[in-house]
Amino acid sequence: VISRVGDRLRVRRGGTTLQMPAWVEPALRTVLTGPTRLGALPGGLDAPSRVVLARRLVREGMIVVRGAA
């Protein structure tokens, strides 16, 4: 579940709650809906920002990394 609180997002999934800037919402929704490649994320995130987002979601157990196809 993603909810907006001012200029922040609150993301709840599997008993974990994260907060992050609201401007990552398009990329976050894409990542949480199914398999995707970091380079294909919407929202204008640069490469380092995409990696930071993915690492955080992996570390918190919200997504898993699959091998390259």
Side-chain angles (χ1 to χ4, degrees):
V1 175
I2 301 173
S3 57
R4 189 181 284 248
V5 181
D7 63 348
R8 307 285 294 168
L9 295 177
R10 183 173 292 144
V11 185
R12 287 181 287 146
R13 189 172 195 180
T16 300
T17 301
L18 300 177
Q19 289 193 32
M20 55 190 57
W23 56 267
V24 303
E25 186 172 3
L28 180 65
R29 287 191 181 277
T30 299
V31 168
L32 295 179
T33 58
T36 190
R37 295 183 181 271
L38 288 182
L41 293 179
L45 275 72
D46 60 13
S49 297
R50 291 190 301 263
V51 171
V52 167
L53 176 62
R55 283 183 179 163
R56 181 157 184 215
L57 295 173
V58 168
R59 184 177 58 240
E60 299 295 339
M62 293 193 168
I63 63 171
V64 295
V65 177
R66 292 186 183 179

